[in-house]
């Protein structure tokens, strides 16, 4: 194997974290901000890109970092290495409520495609790159632009799903329609496209957006019930406006709600 072979255990239900077991000279890579805790004796280093091209010289490092820049991620990643002589443990946490999904890349012929903010951490040697959408419609209306992330190699990677995760196994020619933001990732044989919802009433009053993601098998698809964009939108809608005024205050129901909740002061 090119990637380091690591053992792991996932803890928790709604707010999970994954604990990785590092043998001597084993290492993991992670996005900045996902670190939770680690044993003494693990060394932390900031590197260009994902570290998979460290043996290709300066140009390889720059190319790896440039790919991450195209996805909107930082140029740098963090590598955690066990340089001691005993087994050490390190943990990474979910950024918001949901599930951590272990991806064994050997089960998916060495490649998994995911949304750009889904990646959590992986064994050293796993490559984190970009996956260009070749069809114009996917780029313009897919909700993730022209680019998604691809995780390649022969080791373990971990991605995060918001809310509850659903795994769907699609047979050849079987199609699944999904809200564009609810896709976590899929295997390389899945055909991914965008379909117009259709219908005047659906378009203007349906409240579900103008497009579906159309996923056609064969392959495996991972779906999340609570995309971060949807969570953030609900929090924004519930937040009071400037000056402490609630957004529902201008309506009849808004004022009635204040009275019933006891928030109306005289």
């Amino acid at each position: 194997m090119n990637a380091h072979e690591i053992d792991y255990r996932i803890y928790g239900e709604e707010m999970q974290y994954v604990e990785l077991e590092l043998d001597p000279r084993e290492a993991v890579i992670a996005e900045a901000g996902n670190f939770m805790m680690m044993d003494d004796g693990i060394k932390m280093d900031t590197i260009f890109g994902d570290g998979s091209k460290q043996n290709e010289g300066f140009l390889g490092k720059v190319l790896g970092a440039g790919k991450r820049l195209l996805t909107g991620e930082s140029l740098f990643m963090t590598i955690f290495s066990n340089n001691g002589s005993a087994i050490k443990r390190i943990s990474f946490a979910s950024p918001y409520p949901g599930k951590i999904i272990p991806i064994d890349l050997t089960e998916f012929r060495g490649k998994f495609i995911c949304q750009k903010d889904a990646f959590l951490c992986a064994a050293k040697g796993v490559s984190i790159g970009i996956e260009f959408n070749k069809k114009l419609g996917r780029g313009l209306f897919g909700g993730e632009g022209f680019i998604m992330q691809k995780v390649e190699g022969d080791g373990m990677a971990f991605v995060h799903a918001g809310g509850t995760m659903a795994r769907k196994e699609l047979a050849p020619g079987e199609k699944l329609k999904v809200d564009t933001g609810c896709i976590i990732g899929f295997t390389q044989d899945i055909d991914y496209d965008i379909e117009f919802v259709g219908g005047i009433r659906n378009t203007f009053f349906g409240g579900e957006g103008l497009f579906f993601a159309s996923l056609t098998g064969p392959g495996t698809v991972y779906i999340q019930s609570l995309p971060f964009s949807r969570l953030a939108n609900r929090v924004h809608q519930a937040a009071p406006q400037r000056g402490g005024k609630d957004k529902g205050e201008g309506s009849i129901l808004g004022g009635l709600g204040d009275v019933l909740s006891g928030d109306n002061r005289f």
Side-chain angles (χ1 to χ4, degrees), residues 21-86:
E21 187 177 277
L22 301 182
D23 293 332
R25 294 179 297 280
E26 285 187 341
V28 295
I29 57 172
E31 293 284 4
N34 293 330
F35 168 73
M36 179 179 172
M37 60 181 174
M38 64 182 178
D39 291 341
D40 186 33
I42 295 179
K43 182 182 179 183
M44 181 179 71
D45 290 303
T46 301
I47 58 174
F48 262 125
D50 54 29
S52 62
K53 298 183 182 297
Q54 296 298 296
N55 296 328
E56 297 183 14
F58 178 76
L59 182 59
K61 296 178 183 180
V62 171
L63 289 176
K67 290 179 180 179
R68 291 179 49 75
L69 186 63
L70 287 174
T71 64
E73 303 290 346
S74 169
L75 287 173
F76 301 91
M77 294 189 76
T78 308
I79 184 170
F80 299 86
S81 307
N82 180 7
N83 295 327
S85 57

Side-chain angles (χ1 to χ4, degrees), residues 6-200:
I6 56 176
D7 297 320
Y8 70 92
R9 184 175 178 182
I10 296 174
Y11 293 87
E13 294 298 331
E14 288 77 19
M15 288 295 295
Q16 294 187 329
Y17 72 92
V18 57
E19 181 186 80
L20 306 178
E21 187 177 277
L22 301 182
D23 293 332
R25 294 179 297 280
E26 285 187 341
V28 295
I29 57 172
E31 293 284 4
N34 293 330
F35 168 73
M36 179 179 172
M37 60 181 174
M38 64 182 178
D39 291 341
D40 186 33
I42 295 179
K43 182 182 179 183
M44 181 179 71
D45 290 303
T46 301
I47 58 174
F48 262 125
D50 54 29
S52 62
K53 298 183 182 297
Q54 296 298 296
N55 296 328
E56 297 183 14
F58 178 76
L59 182 59
K61 296 178 183 180
V62 171
L63 289 176
K67 290 179 180 179
R68 291 179 49 75
L69 186 63
L70 287 174
T71 64
E73 303 290 346
S74 169
L75 287 173
F76 301 91
M77 294 189 76
T78 308
I79 184 170
F80 299 86
S81 307
N82 180 7
N83 295 327
S85 57
I87 293 175
K88 303 292 183 179
R89 292 173 176 84
I90 183 170
S91 300
F92 299 93
S94 302
Y96 56 95
K99 301 294 182 182
I100 294 176
I101 307 168
I103 302 294
D104 186 350
L105 292 172
T106 60
E107 296 181 1
F108 300 132
R109 305 202 326 269
K111 182 179 179 180
F112 184 78
I113 302 167
C114 62
Q115 286 197 9
K116 64 180 183 179
D117 57 353
F119 175 74
L120 192 67
C121 60
K124 183 182 178 182
V126 171
S127 172
I128 316 300
I130 54 175
E131 180 75 11
F132 284 100
N133 288 328
K134 298 178 182 179
K135 297 182 180 179
L136 181 61
R138 284 188 287 184
L140 294 178
F141 309 114
E144 289 298 323
F146 287 93
I147 302 170
M148 296 184 75
Q149 277 191 333
K150 61 180 178 181
V151 184
E152 294 181 298
D154 54 7
M156 291 296 303
F158 299 87
V159 297
H160 178 258
T164 301
M165 184 273 294
R167 173 173 171 159
K168 298 291 185 180
E169 300 289 345
L170 301 184
E174 184 180 1
K175 181 181 291 187
L176 182 68
K177 294 183 179 180
V178 185
D179 180 274
T180 55
C182 288
I183 298 174
I184 305 167
F186 44 85
T187 53
Q188 56 185 304
D189 291 330
I190 291 289
D191 181 52
Y192 171 49
D193 209 341
I194 295 298
E195 287 189 11
F196 182 61
V197 171
I200 298 298

